[in-house]
Amino acid sequence: MNSEQRKQLAAIGKSAFVREEMVRLGFWPPSPEVAELAAGAEKELRVYYDEMIALRTELNGVEAKIAEAGNIPALLAEVRRKRIERVRAERIARRERRAQEKIESHAKDTEWRKRALPYLGHGVSDALVYKGGDPEKTATLGLPALTTASDVAAAIGISESDLAWLTYHRGAATIDHYSRFTIPKKRGGVRVISSPKRRLRTAQSWVLESVLSPVPVHDAAMAFRPARSVADNARRHQGQAVVIRIDLKDFFPSITLPRVRTLFRSLGYNGGVATLLALLTTEAPRVAATLDGARRFVAVGGRSLPQGACTSPAVTNLLCRKLDARLTGAAEAMGFVYTRYADDLVFSHAKPDAPVGMLLDLTRRIIADEGLTVNEEKTSVQRGQHRQTVTGLVVNGGAPRLSRENLRRFRAMLHQCERDGLPAVSERLGQNAQAYAAGYVAFIHMVDPEKARQIVAAHPWIARWKRAGGA
């Protein structure tokens, strides 16, 4: 069998090849009848032969490729292994990409929080939203335009991180922004004074000068205003038949952070800026304690106006505008004169038969309606036949003046300082005796400048305190 025959055998199969060879050699068909039948069959089979040849060629190609491929299971295993490695690499790359995105997002969020200050401690951050406000009202009042935490920091002249440090509220803090001490009250007990430290004092001074001072207060407010003094307050009530004094109980502690924040919002600032300003001007009462071996300053109450901050008096004057207006209206309707010096409310009337009871009842209702409380122990009605005092000055029988008793006690204290020494008297007073003396001389000077000069001349060590940069 030659090569052509072998190719033909491979192409059409053994049975077809035998039949074709029989035809070629003349062994087929055996008779004319069979030949006729065979011709018909041959014609029909030729179609299938051609298809079979094409299929056989294709099959041979496939078998050749399979032969070239070698071990199919091993090849499939290799494909599977490469696919697993690819998926694993993609998963690792995806995880690394997500981790990097998380780091970048955290860094971006941290940087945003440093600038925006969206959270400044538990219980004080709910209104830290730097949207809204009334810029037109702020502009009308002549106040600085503040919209963001960055605006507030820049206006004060500090960084956003310093602003956060000054305003962040902690229940137990490692640092106290106030120096706290007590001074004795006239009627017993002590008053806690919270004096802001340098960095907070600088920020509060800006708030006072730029935000609080430009806003007008009611004319009845006499305390902590330029060109007004205790003597001016007393003069409005001199020579009256009746003087009524009402004291507000726990005045500064009763002015809480929400009320202060509401005040700043009423000036046109949005909730975020108003909260920052309120946090700068309020603080919680704190006590020093040791927790986990470390010194902490623990808050023992909510944030309110600290007595000793330069902003507290101005905040109270603004918050009391409505109170002053209502009490002025009630007083004038009954013929009384009304003034308020911080928490000391004074009413006076020219006639002995003034409707005192009616005024007291109405005043108590108005004060309660404004969220404040009367200190009933200090409420007094002073009539002309007895000594009448207003903010420490006698107002009946002439111009406002110091009482002889107060001057006598002060001169006795000065004598004790010179006899026993300033440290001994300071210990008895519970405060710096030289500072107290300088402060009281300044009080005397507002009323009687000549008498103040005489006292300083007789006790020159008082002036040395003032020259040294003391009180």
Side-chain angles (χ1 to χ4, degrees), residues 19 35 50 52 61 69 71 78 92 98 121 154 159-160 199-200 214 226 262 273 344 351 358 388 409 417 428 444 463:
R19 188 183 61 79
D50 294 340
M52 186 178 295
N71 192 335
E78 179 67 14
I92 292 173
R98 288 175 179 172
S159 65
E160 292 92 341
R199 295 173 71 177
L200 179 59
T262 299
V273 171
D344 191 5
K351 296 181 179 180
M358 184 183 301
Q388 299 169 326
R409 281 196 294 268
C417 290
R428 289 199 292 269
I444 295 173

Side-chain angles (χ1 to χ4, degrees), residues 144 146 152 155-156 201-211 277:
L146 306 171
V152 177
I156 297 173
R201 184 168 62 249
T202 299
Q204 289 181 345
S205 296
W206 178 86
V207 175
L208 174 63
E209 295 170 7
S210 302
V211 178
L277 297 175

Side-chain angles (χ1 to χ4, degrees), residues 353-410:
D353 59 348
V356 173
M358 184 183 301
L359 176 74
L360 286 174
D361 288 342
L362 181 55
T363 298
R364 289 188 180 99
R365 288 200 298 270
I366 292 174
I367 291 173
D369 190 44
E370 293 297 322
L372 299 169
T373 304
V374 173
N375 187 347
E376 296 294 351
E377 294 181 357
K378 293 186 177 181
T379 299
S380 65
V381 179
Q382 305 168 355
R383 299 192 179 272
Q385 62 268 34
H386 303 288
R387 188 174 68 184
Q388 299 169 326
T389 59
V390 174
T391 50
L393 301 177
V394 179
V395 294
N396 55 339
R401 64 196 181 279
L402 292 163
S403 69
R404 287 190 295 271
E405 292 84 350
N406 287 343
L407 278 174
R408 186 165 51 249
R409 281 196 294 268
F410 181 59

Side-chain angles (χ1 to χ4, degrees), residues 272-283:
V273 171
T275 299
L276 286 172
L277 297 175
L279 288 169
L280 284 171
T281 54
T282 62
E283 172 60 318

Side-chain angles (χ1 to χ4, degrees), residues 254-317:
S254 66
I255 308 298
T256 59
L257 183 142
R259 296 185 69 174
V260 178
R261 179 170 55 204
T262 299
L263 167 65
F264 287 116
R265 295 191 79 157
S266 73
L267 303 181
Y269 291 116
N270 61 45
V273 171
T275 299
L276 286 172
L277 297 175
L279 288 169
L280 284 171
T281 54
T282 62
E283 172 60 318
R286 294 182 182 273
V287 296
T290 300
L291 301 176
D292 299 327
R295 183 175 174 81
R296 295 284 189 273
F297 299 93
V298 182
V300 292
R303 295 182 74 100
S304 60
L305 291 181
Q307 190 160 354
C310 64
T311 48
S312 294
V315 169
T316 58
N317 278 345

